[in-house]
Amino acid sequence: MSEPTSVQRTFAWAAPYAGLDDDALKALGNAGLLRRARKDFAAKDGVTELSHDPKGAVLGVSGASVRVDGRGPAAVSCDCPTAGVCQHVLTACLWAAEVAPDAPAQGADPVVPQSLPRTSGPGPESAAGAATASETRRTAAARGPSEAVLRRRREALAEVRDVVGRLMSGGLSHLGPDDAESLLALAGRVRLAGFEQVEPTQVGGVRFVGLLRVTAGFVSGLAGRDDAVTEADLLDSFAEVWAMGEVLQRALDTGSGNNLAGGEDDAKPTGAGRSTDAEEVDVARWVPLGARWWNSPSGSRGLAYLGWDSQAVATSGTEAGQVRQVVTGRASGTDPGFQRSWTSPLLWGRSLSTLCEGAFTLTAVRAKPDGTLGAGGTPVVHRLDGDGFDLAELQQIAERTGAGVAPRDVVGFGRRPANVRLVLVRDVGEIGIDEVRQELTLTIVTSDGEERALRLPVTSEQAVQTLLSVRSMLVAVTIERREDRDEPVGLFVRDKGAIRLVSPTITPAWTFESSHWDFWRRRIRKLRAQAASARTVRSVAAPPTPVRRVTLLLGDVLVAAAATGRPVLTARQRSDVEQARALARDLGLATLERTAGGLLGGELTPSTVLHAAFVVGRARAVADVAG
């Protein structure tokens, strides 16, 4: 334990730290950083006082040197390489709170997190502290950020525009690992500028620095020839960074975003510690929906795990609930122990058989800026009461993932609509094999009378066998829309009075008559032999909707232009854009029509391409959800 606890010294300069509680420290950093800071603080010799003076002290915290003084938590500085608030800063704040006087000094000018009263018990002192905190908030809000703070934010936005424009001008296909590093460094400088509380209603609570880090990850993946990253993904991410920068710039220009309290010492804003790739959050109720094992042409393999976060709040204010996923994988030749298995630990140190037993809580799980959960870390998984799954809860999830989903709930900054739907099964129809598409089909009738054909590639023999083994026990199916087919990723089956979850591509087949499986196995093997000696036949896909066609035409042109960095359209590209503009005009899509016209008006500057990519991407996402 640190020395201040035992000696009970107090320092007048530490008065601004007297009101720090867990909520204030979480606002300064995040819950995960605070947990680690408390471990450092509680450890023997976790905090050592290296030097002190009338204005503050220099502390040694886990090998780092931290300066803490009377300006308050926002001014605490650490020499570790982490940009912004780190766990050493929070540990130093805990130490300063221990040596602080019992009441704030007269004339102190703490920032909002510093002035929060202790909540250990009621009393006149805590009531006075609360009144002081409220008054400080009103004063800070009225004053707004200083000119120096506003200047830092404008400079940061200008730098973002310059860096993104430079990377776009060179062509996305030519980016390398150094470009990813430059984006990560830029994200650190943006973090220090402090945009976390600017215009939260317009950007949906998504952090600007988070989008920059996601974009850096896409650049790294594209430069490393990652099969899962394409130029289209990177262009969408760059477009979101550009658009959020425009929103923040407009907010600064009009004064509508100047709502951050603080002054010259606002270089580390409250919430800056949340700017890592993934912050730690708690999920009160997680309902597993299924999992899918995947393999890429290069030999990499991985796992996509889907679930329902029942407490996630929709942006439109409707009832809570959202599909979230966790994706993890390994490159070819790495980690030989990471193989498809139902019983071996694959995610968070647990097996899928454990993670698909029923509803549970997740504590300290990493959440990425795009709403997905991270596969790293060691979150605490606590199984909730009950055996299997509750049919009434599955029905609610089916309604929330059905046709009534509002686009504004799933489309926005940092989010991608999940093409996942849970349907209840009223009847199971015939099994068939599509010899052209090389897929096994199983027809089901949903609870609302809709007939759907579930499809699995016949090359996935285990998935086919698992699906056939449980088809007569189906209660509900989690369907993922993939490459113009409905692929079942989760099968809810009734077994001995309880509802269980089976994932076709991972769960072993259940027991059933071997003669039945032998019949289908012979058919599949015969089909494979025929396919090996036959010429390739491509099935004709259903034509896209008119709105979708507009976005496809414009999207293909924009990706080609961004990938090469060409400043002008080719003749073929110009023809496609003109066709898209005419179709948009006929459909009454004025925004898309103007966007297409802008591409035809002159040189393709980075801002022109990014503006068009953002508009087209949003239109495409809304069309996908509405469709």
Side-chain angles (χ1 to χ4, degrees):
M1 182 63 68
S2 57
E3 183 183 354
T5 302
S6 57
V7 180
Q8 293 296 323
R9 298 174 299 164
T10 59
F11 297 116
W13 61 260
Y17 301 84
L20 280 178
D21 61 1
D22 282 357
D23 289 338
L25 290 171
K26 288 177 184 177
L28 187 66
N30 60 51
L33 286 178
L34 179 57
R35 276 192 292 269
R36 293 192 287 272
R38 287 201 177 280
K39 290 181 181 179
D40 282 347
F41 185 62
K44 184 179 180 181
D45 298 328
V47 181
T48 57
E49 184 181 328
L50 303 179
S51 65
H52 68 270
D53 55 47
K55 295 183 179 181
V58 177
L59 309 176
V61 183
S62 299
S65 178
V66 186
R67 170 71 182 183
V68 56
D69 55 36
R71 293 178 297 171
V76 177
S77 60
C78 176
D79 66 356
C80 78
T82 302
V85 176
C86 60
Q87 71 187 72
H88 309 125
V89 168
L90 295 190
T91 305
C93 289
L94 291 172
W95 184 91
E98 288 290 329
V99 303
D102 291 337
Q106 294 295 324
D109 187 21
V111 296
V112 174
Q114 298 168 220
S115 61
L116 292 177
R118 296 183 185 274
T119 57
S120 56
E125 291 184 1
S126 63
T132 302
S134 177
E135 182 179 352
T136 302
R137 289 191 192 95
R138 288 194 296 269
T139 302
R143 184 176 65 243
S146 66
E147 284 300 322
V149 173
L150 294 177
R151 183 174 63 253
R152 282 198 298 269
R153 292 176 186 160
R154 292 191 177 97
E155 290 173 351
L157 289 175
E159 186 178 6
V160 169
R161 282 192 292 269
D162 290 342
V163 171
V164 172
R166 173 177 59 81
L167 297 180
M168 287 286 297
S169 298
L172 302 184
S173 297
H174 303 143
L175 298 181
D178 291 344
D179 297 310
E181 291 297 327
S182 68
L183 278 174
L184 286 175
L186 176 61
R189 294 191 290 275
V190 167
R191 165 194 274 183
L192 295 179
F195 290 98
E196 304 307 318
Q197 293 171 322
V198 179
E199 292 300 295
T201 57
Q202 293 190 31
V203 299
V206 176
R207 293 168 285 115
F208 191 31
V209 68
L211 285 183
L212 283 168
R213 288 183 174 272
V214 169
T215 305
F218 279 133
V219 172
S220 178
L222 191 65
R225 301 297 184 263
D226 187 341
D227 295 324
V229 180
T230 65
E231 284 89 351
D233 297 325
L234 182 53
L235 177 59
D236 285 344
S237 191
F238 268 133
E240 291 212 324
V241 168
W242 177 86
M244 184 177 284
E246 291 296 299
V247 172
L248 296 175
Q249 184 67 61
R250 188 175 299 112
L252 292 177
D253 292 342
T254 61
S256 61
N258 299 343
N259 55 358
L260 279 177
E264 293 297 324
D265 298 326
D266 203 12
K268 288 183 180 180
T270 60
R274 304 177 190 177
S275 315
T276 54
D277 279 323
E279 62 176 306
E280 292 183 348
V281 299
D282 298 335
V283 178
R285 186 175 183 85
W286 174 271
V287 182
L289 295 180
R292 173 173 52 82
W293 184 264
W294 52 266
N295 292 278
S296 72
S298 67
S300 59
R301 72 279 185 208
L303 167 72
Y305 175 60
L306 297 166
W308 178 258
D309 182 355
S310 62
Q311 300 300 316
V313 179
T315 58
S316 63
T318 57
E319 58 183 310
Q322 176 184 334
V323 175
R324 304 179 82 164
Q325 72 170 341
V326 188
V327 179
T328 183
R330 303 292 188 275
S332 177
T334 62
D335 193 2
F338 186 81
Q339 298 294 335
R340 174 165 48 188
S341 173
W342 184 243
T343 56
S344 299
L346 292 178
L347 180 64
W348 302 325
R350 291 170 174 80
S351 67
L352 283 174
S353 60
T354 300
L355 295 175
C356 291
E357 284 182 340
F360 55 86
T361 63
L362 273 170
T363 303
V365 64
R366 295 178 182 177
K368 297 183 179 181
D370 59 0
T372 61
L373 299 183
T378 55
V380 178
V381 177
H382 177 68
R383 180 81 161 81
L384 297 176
D385 296 336
D387 184 25
F389 295 83
D390 181 66
L391 183 59
E393 184 173 40
L394 293 180
Q395 184 173 3
Q396 292 176 358
I397 297 174
E399 293 173 354
R400 294 285 288 114
T401 59
V405 176
R408 61 181 175 273
D409 290 342
V410 293
V411 178
F413 281 109
R415 289 177 289 160
R416 299 289 185 273
N419 293 320
V420 176
R421 183 179 179 186
L422 179 68
V423 297
L424 300 183
V425 177
R426 188 173 73 186
D427 193 16
V428 179
E430 296 182 350
I431 305 169
I433 288 185
D434 187 331
E435 297 190 0
V436 175
R437 300 180 58 165
Q438 297 279 292
E439 293 173 338
L440 178 134
T441 64
L442 174 64
T443 302
I444 63 170
V445 180
T446 66
S447 58
D448 55 5
E450 180 185 7
E451 191 174 277
R452 302 184 75 112
L454 307 181
R455 292 176 174 268
L456 284 174
V458 295
T459 53
S460 180
E461 186 170 305
Q462 175 181 316
V464 171
Q465 185 174 358
T466 300
L467 177 63
L468 295 178
S469 69
V470 300
R471 73 191 189 287
S472 62
M473 300 181 286
L474 284 178
V475 175
V477 179
T478 303
I479 298 173
E480 184 178 18
R481 188 69 174 172
R482 287 176 47 78
E483 300 172 358
D484 296 327
R485 72 169 184 265
D486 288 340
E487 181 173 327
V489 295
L491 308 173
F492 291 89
V493 300
R494 190 176 295 281
D495 177 54
K496 300 177 182 178
I499 298 177
R500 311 289 182 190
L501 176 58
V502 174
S503 294
T505 58
I506 304 175
T507 311
W510 288 29
T511 302
F512 65 108
E513 295 182 8
S514 59
S515 60
H516 184 79
W517 170 236
D518 289 341
F519 167 76
W520 286 105
R521 181 181 294 166
R522 286 194 298 270
R523 284 205 60 186
I524 291 174
R525 287 178 177 173
K526 181 180 179 181
L527 181 60
R528 287 180 184 167
Q530 292 174 345
S533 59
R535 63 185 180 88
T536 302
V537 177
R538 294 187 178 275
S539 58
V540 179
T545 62
V547 176
R548 179 68 169 163
R549 177 161 175 74
V550 174
T551 62
L552 287 174
L553 286 169
L554 293 177
D556 289 345
V557 170
L558 291 169
V559 170
T564 60
R566 282 177 55 90
V568 293
L569 295 173
T570 65
R572 174 62 183 272
Q573 291 170 346
R574 179 170 291 275
S575 174
D576 287 345
V577 173
E578 289 174 345
Q579 182 181 354
R581 182 173 64 168
L583 183 55
R585 182 173 58 250
D586 294 342
L587 295 171
L589 304 174
T591 302
L592 285 175
E593 181 186 355
R594 287 195 301 270
T595 300
L599 295 176
L600 297 170
E603 183 179 354
L604 295 180
T605 64
S607 61
T608 300
V609 174
L610 290 170
H611 174 270
F614 180 75
V615 172
V616 172
R618 283 295 174 88
R620 180 177 61 243
V622 171
D624 288 345
V625 175

